[in-house]
C-alpha cells in the first residue's frame, strides 16, 4: 500500500505540483522505481552475509518508515512546494518551478524509501517461504501455492492504493494521501514484529557473491588443469556433513564444465579460493544459468513501467466523469490491473492448475518457464491494443479540434481498460512465475539473492524505459519534427511508440523461447530421509 500509494500517482504530482514536463516527470518516476527494484541486491547481500533476513528486514523497515514520514512532510508544508499555477491543473506556460532545495528534499525522501525497500523486498517474501520445511513432504507441497497467495495478499494493498489513496490524493489532498500509507506501514511493521516468536529464523549463511567469486577464482587459477572424467574424483564433503547442516547436496553436471576445475583436487596449500566442493560449484552454475532468463525479463518490465507513467498521462486527456459530480482519478485505472491480477491468481490456483495437472502430472500444472512464456505473449497483445487505442484517441482529438490546444478528448477514460485488465492477467502469469522461479531455482544458501533477481529485472526495466523514452523523444524531434512524446499528448504519437514496443516484445519472446528451451532445472539430493537416499529433483526436471 505504501509503495503503490506513491508510485501510482507520482507522475501527476511531479507534473501538477512540481510543474515538470512529460518526459522529465516520466523519467523521474522510472528512475526512482528502477532504483527501488535494484537496491534489493544490496539487501540480499546483507541478509545472506551478515544480519540474516529477519534483522535486515526490521532495520530496513525503520528506514522505510522514516522516508515515508519525510515524504509526507514534503507534500504538506507550503515551504517545501512551489506556488500553484492553478487549482489541480497542468499549465504548460507555468513558470513557478520547484527550487533546488524543494526538489532535493522531495527526492531525498523518495530515495530513502529506495534504501528501505532494498532490505524489505528481497527478505520478506523469503522469510515467508522459509516457514515451509522443504524436508517435510506436506509442507513442501503447500509451498507450491505460497507465491500465488503471497502476490494475492500484496495486491490487496495495491488495490487500496490504486483506488482509495489515489482518489484522496486527487480530491482531498496529498497530505492525507501520503499520511495514510505511512500509518499503514507503521501498523504493518508492528504486526510483523508481534509474530517474531513464531517464525522459523534462518541464520546468515555467508555472502552468495563471495561463494560464487571463490568458484570463479579457483576455476581460473586452475584453468590449465584437466577435469577428471569421473565426477567422484572431484572434491566433495561427506554426506553426513550435509545432513548435519540440514542442507542439500548437488551432483556434478557437465553444464559450464569449465567451472568444474574449481573442484579438482590440487597439491599444495588448500584455501577456499583454490579448492571448492562440487556443491559450491553447482550452486554457482545455478545462479549463472539463470542470468539469460533474467535478461529476457527486462523487456516486459519496461512494459510495466508504462502503467504508472504514460498510461496514467493518457488518462488525464480523456473524459473521467461518472455522473455530474464524480471524476475518476487517472491513476485509479491501475486498480483494474490489481483486480484483474487478484481474480486471475485465484482462478489460476484453483481451476487452471488442477485441470492441467491431470494432463501434465506436474504439481504446478505447467512449468514455471511455460507460465512466464504465456505472460510474455499477453504483453505483445497488450501493447498492440494500447497502440490501436491511442491511434483512435488521436484521431478523435483531431476531429474535435483539441489536438493543438491539448484539451480534453471526448472519449471515456474506460477505453483504456483493456490494456490495464490484460496487464493484470500478464502479471498473474509472468510476475508470479518469475518470483517463484528465481526463488525456487536458487540454491538454499542463496535464496535472498535469487529473490533479488526478480526485483532486479524490474529495476533494469524501469531504467531502460527512461533511456528509451528520452532516446525516442530526442530522435523523433530531429529535422523539425514535433516528436513522438511531447507535453501535449494530443499532438504526440504514443501509438507509434507502443507499436515499437510490440516489435520489441516479439523479438524478446523469440529470445526467451530459445533460452528457456536450453535451460536445465536444478537437481538437489536430499539425504535426510532416514530409510534411504531420496533424490529431490525439481518437478520440471523430472518431466
Amino acid at each position: 500500500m505504501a509503495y503503490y500509494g506513491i508510485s501510482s500517482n507520482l507522475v501527476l504530482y511531479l507534473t501538477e505540483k512540481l510543474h515538470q514536463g512529460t518526459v522529465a516527470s516520466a523519467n523521474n518516476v522510472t528512475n526512482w522505481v528502477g532504483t527501488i527494484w535494484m537496491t534489493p541486491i544490496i539487501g540480499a547481500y546483507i541478509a545472506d552475509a551478515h544480519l540474516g533476513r529477519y534483522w535486515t528486514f526490521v532495520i530496513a523497515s525503520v528506514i522505510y518508515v522514516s522516508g515515508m514520514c519525510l515524504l509526507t512532510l514534503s507534500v504538506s508544508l507550503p515551504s517545501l512546494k512551489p506556488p500553484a499555477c492553478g487549482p489541480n491543473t497542468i499549465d504548460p506556460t507555468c513558470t513557478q518551478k520547484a527550487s533546488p532545495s524543494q526538489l532535493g528534499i522531495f527526492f531525498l525522501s523518495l530515495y530513502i524509501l529506495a534504501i528501505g525497500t532494498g532490505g524489505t523486498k528481497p527478505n520478506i517474501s523469503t522469510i515467508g517461504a522459509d516457514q515451509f520445511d522443504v524436508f517435510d513432504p506436506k509442507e513442501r507441497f503447500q509451498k507450491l501455492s505460497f507465491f500465488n497467495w503471497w502476490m494475492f495478499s500484496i495486491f490487496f494493498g495495491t488495490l487500496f492504493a490504486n483506488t482509495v489513496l489515489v482518489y484522496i490524493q486527487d480530491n482531498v489532498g496529498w497530505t492525507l494521501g501520503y499520511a495514510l500509507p505511512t500509518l499503514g506501514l507503521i501498523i504493518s511493521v508492528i504486526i510483523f514484529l508481534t509474530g517474531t516468536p513464531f517464525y522459523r529464523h534462518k541464520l546468515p549463511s555467508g555472502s552468495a557473491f563471495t561463494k560464487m567469486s571463490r568458484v570463479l577464482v579457483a576455476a581460473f587459477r586452475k584453468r590449465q588443469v584437466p577435469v577428471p572424467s569421473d565426477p567422484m574424483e572431484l572434491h566433495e564433503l561427506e554426506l553426513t556433513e550435509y545432513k548435519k547442516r540440514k542442507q542439500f547436496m548437488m551432483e556434478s553436471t557437465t553444464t559450464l564444465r569449465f567451472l568444474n576445475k574449481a573442484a579438482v583436487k590440487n597439491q599444495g596449500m588448500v584455501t577456499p579460493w583454490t579448492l571448492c566442493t562440487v556443491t559450491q560449484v553447482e550452486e554457482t552454475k545455478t545462479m549463472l544459468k539463470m542470468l539469460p532468463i533474467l535478461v529476457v525479463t527486462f523487456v516486459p518490465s519496461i512494459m510495466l513501467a508504462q502503467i504508472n507513467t504514460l498510461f496514467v498521462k493518457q488518462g488525464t486527456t480523456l473524459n473521467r466523469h461518472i455522473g455530474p459530480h464524480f471524476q475518476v482519478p487517472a491513476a485509479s485505472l491501475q486498480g483494474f490491473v490489481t483486480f484483474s491480477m487478484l481474480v486471475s491468481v485465484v482462478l489460476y490456483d484453483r481451476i487452471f492448475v488442477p485441470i492441467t495437472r491431470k494432463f501434465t502430472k506436474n504439481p504446478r500444472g505447467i512449468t514455471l518457464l511455460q507460465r512466464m512464456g504465456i505472460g510474455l505473449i499477453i504483453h505483445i497483445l497488450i501493447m498492440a491494443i494500447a497502440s490501436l487505442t491511442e491511434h483512435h484517441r488521436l484521431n478523435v482529438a483531431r476531429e474535435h479540434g483539441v489536438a493543438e490546444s491539448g484539451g480534453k478528448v471526448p472519449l471515456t477514460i474506460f477505453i483504456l481498460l483493456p490494456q490495464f485488465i490484460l496487464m493484470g492477467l500478464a502479471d498473474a502469469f509472468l510476475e508470479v512465475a518469475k518470483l517463484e522461479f528465481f526463488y525456487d531455482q536458487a540454491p538454499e544458501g542463496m535464496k535472498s539473492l535469487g529473490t533479488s533477481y526478480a526485483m532486479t529485472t524490474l529495476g533494469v526495466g524501469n531504467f531502460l524505459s527512461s533511456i528509451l523514452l528520452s532516446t525516442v523523444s530526442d530522435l523523433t524531434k530531429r529535422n523539425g519534427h514535433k516528436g513522438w512524446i511531447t507535453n501535449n499528448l494530443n499532438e504526440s504519437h504514443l501509438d507509434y511508440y507502443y507499436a515499437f514496443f510490440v516489435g520489441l516484445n516479439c523479438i524478446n519472446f523469440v529470445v526467451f523461447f530459445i533460452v528457456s528451451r536450453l535451460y536445465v532445472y536444478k537437481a538437489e539430493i536430499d539425504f535426510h530421509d532416514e530409510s534411504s537416499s531420496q533424490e529431490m529433483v525439481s518437478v520440471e526436471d523430472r518431466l
Side-chain angles (χ1 to χ4, degrees):
M1 182 182 68
Y3 166 69
Y4 285 100
I6 298 167
S7 63
S8 298
N9 226 7
L10 182 58
V11 69
L12 295 187
Y13 186 84
L14 292 175
T15 53
E16 294 182 5
K17 301 301 180 181
L18 298 185
H19 311 142
Q20 294 188 337
T22 299
V23 174
S25 59
N27 282 347
N28 278 328
V29 171
T30 50
N31 287 338
W32 174 67
V33 173
T35 305
I36 282 280
W37 294 111
M38 291 295 288
T39 52
I41 295 180
I42 301 173
Y45 165 77
I46 294 173
D48 285 342
H50 302 290
L51 299 179
R53 293 161 191 164
Y54 175 84
W55 283 110
T56 302
F57 176 81
V58 171
I59 294 171
S61 295
V62 175
I63 297 173
Y64 206 131
V65 170
S66 65
M68 285 296 299
C69 291
L70 181 60
L71 186 65
T72 303
L73 286 176
S74 70
V75 301
S76 304
L77 300 179
S79 60
L80 298 181
K81 298 180 292 183
C85 291
N88 296 318
T89 60
I90 304 174
D91 183 0
T93 64
C94 180
T95 59
Q96 301 290 344
K97 304 297 182 183
S99 68
S101 60
Q102 291 170 337
L103 289 175
I105 293 175
F106 183 77
F107 284 107
L108 173 64
S109 60
L110 287 180
Y111 283 91
I112 289 176
L113 290 180
I115 296 172
T117 300
T120 56
K121 282 193 182 298
N123 291 303
I124 186 60
S125 59
T126 313
I127 291 172
D130 286 345
Q131 306 313 304
F132 297 89
D133 185 355
V134 293
F135 300 108
D136 181 290
K138 181 180 179 181
E139 292 192 30
R140 189 164 66 237
F141 183 79
Q142 290 173 335
K143 191 176 181 178
L144 295 177
S145 293
F146 169 72
F147 284 102
N148 286 335
W149 295 105
W150 170 256
M151 294 297 287
F152 182 86
S153 62
I154 280 179
F155 274 82
F156 258 116
T158 308
L159 184 62
F160 182 82
N162 290 337
T163 52
V164 178
L165 288 183
V166 165
Y167 179 81
I168 290 173
Q169 290 165 1
D170 278 8
N171 297 279
V172 179
W174 292 90
T175 299
L176 183 61
Y178 279 10
L180 285 177
T182 302
L183 179 61
L185 181 65
I186 294 172
I187 293 173
S188 71
V189 173
I190 293 173
I191 292 173
F192 174 82
L193 292 174
T194 59
T196 299
F198 307 102
Y199 300 145
R200 285 171 173 163
H201 297 272
K202 296 212 173 175
L203 298 175
S205 57
S207 168
F209 295 111
T210 301
K211 295 176 184 177
M212 295 169 64
S213 297
R214 286 173 176 170
V215 172
L216 296 173
V217 170
F220 180 78
R221 283 181 172 179
K222 294 187 283 189
R223 59 190 179 279
Q224 304 298 334
V225 177
V227 178
S229 57
D230 185 1
M232 297 301 293
E233 296 181 27
L234 297 173
H235 174 60
E236 183 57 287
L237 301 178
E238 295 293 330
L239 304 183
T240 53
E241 187 66 24
Y242 286 98
K243 182 174 181 179
K244 182 169 59 177
R245 298 179 183 180
K246 205 172 185 181
Q247 293 177 347
F248 286 114
M249 184 184 196
M250 301 181 75
E251 288 185 331
S252 180
T253 64
T254 56
T255 308
L256 299 175
R257 195 167 185 270
F258 172 80
L259 296 180
N260 289 349
K261 294 177 182 289
V264 175
K265 297 174 183 177
N266 56 308
Q267 302 296 324
M269 186 176 65
V270 175
T271 71
W273 295 91
T274 59
L275 182 63
C276 303
T277 65
V278 169
T279 295
Q280 289 171 334
V281 171
E282 292 303 318
E283 286 176 342
T284 301
K285 288 182 181 181
T286 299
M287 298 306 295
L288 293 177
K289 286 191 302 182
M290 288 195 291
L291 291 179
I293 303 296
L294 177 70
V295 171
V296 294
T297 56
F298 290 164
V299 171
S301 295
I302 296 174
M303 304 308 109
L304 289 177
Q306 311 314 308
I307 297 176
N308 51 14
T309 54
L310 296 181
F311 282 12
V312 173
K313 289 292 292 180
Q314 279 180 282
T316 62
T317 68
L318 298 167
N319 178 15
R320 296 182 283 134
H321 284 92
I322 298 179
H325 305 295
F326 183 77
Q327 184 168 257
V328 178
S332 68
L333 284 193
Q334 295 174 67
F336 287 96
V337 177
T338 306
F339 182 75
S340 172
M341 196 268 187
L342 289 171
V343 173
S344 299
V345 165
V346 174
L347 294 178
Y348 183 91
D349 193 77
R350 294 305 180 191
I351 299 177
F352 182 82
V353 171
I355 292 175
T356 54
R357 186 186 291 154
K358 294 178 182 178
F359 299 98
T360 64
K361 309 304 179 185
N362 186 330
R364 287 193 175 96
I366 57 176
T367 69
L368 293 173
L369 289 178
Q370 288 171 342
R371 185 174 180 180
M372 291 169 65
I374 294 173
L376 292 177
I377 293 173
I378 297 173
H379 272 289
I380 297 174
L381 180 62
I382 290 169
M383 298 318 297
I385 291 175
S387 179
L388 293 173
T389 302
E390 176 64 7
H391 184 72
H392 176 61
R393 189 189 70 83
L394 292 175
N395 284 338
V396 173
R398 285 189 289 268
E399 289 171 2
H400 288 79
V402 293
E404 292 185 3
S405 65
K408 294 290 183 183
V409 180
L411 284 172
T412 175
I413 191 174
F414 295 111
I415 65 167
L416 301 179
L417 269 187
Q419 61 204 58
F420 281 93
I421 291 174
L422 284 174
M423 194 67 81
L425 178 62
D427 281 352
F429 280 91
L430 178 59
E431 294 306 309
V432 178
K434 182 174 69 177
L435 178 60
E436 185 174 357
F437 174 82
F438 288 121
Y439 175 87
D440 178 75
Q441 291 298 291
E444 190 61 31
M446 300 181 180
K447 293 296 187 185
S448 293
L449 178 60
T451 304
S452 73
Y453 270 21
M455 315 290 175
T456 301
T457 178
L458 293 169
V460 174
N462 275 274
F463 285 127
L464 290 176
S465 177
S466 293
I467 294 171
L468 283 175
L469 186 63
S470 297
T471 302
V472 170
S473 177
D474 291 339
L475 289 177
T476 54
K477 283 180 181 177
R478 294 181 179 179
N479 301 320
H481 295 290
K482 289 185 177 180
W484 287 4
I485 304 106
T486 66
N487 290 342
N488 180 3
L489 291 190
N490 292 351
E491 285 191 310
S492 301
H493 269 294
L494 287 183
D495 53 341
Y496 295 168
Y497 191 52
Y498 293 158
F500 163 71
F501 279 151
V502 173
L504 188 62
N505 276 293
C506 289
I507 295 171
N508 186 69
F509 178 77
V510 173
V511 176
F512 171 81
F513 181 79
I514 295 171
V515 299
S516 63
R517 294 292 295 175
L518 296 174
Y519 184 81
V520 179
Y521 290 85
K522 74 170 184 178
E524 294 171 323
I525 298 178
D526 172 17
F527 293 97
H528 296 80
D529 188 332
E530 295 296 335
S531 60
S532 64
S533 295
Q534 177 186 4
E535 187 175 8
M536 285 184 61
V537 186
S538 291
V539 172
E540 291 86 346
D541 197 52
R542 290 198 191 100
L543 297 174

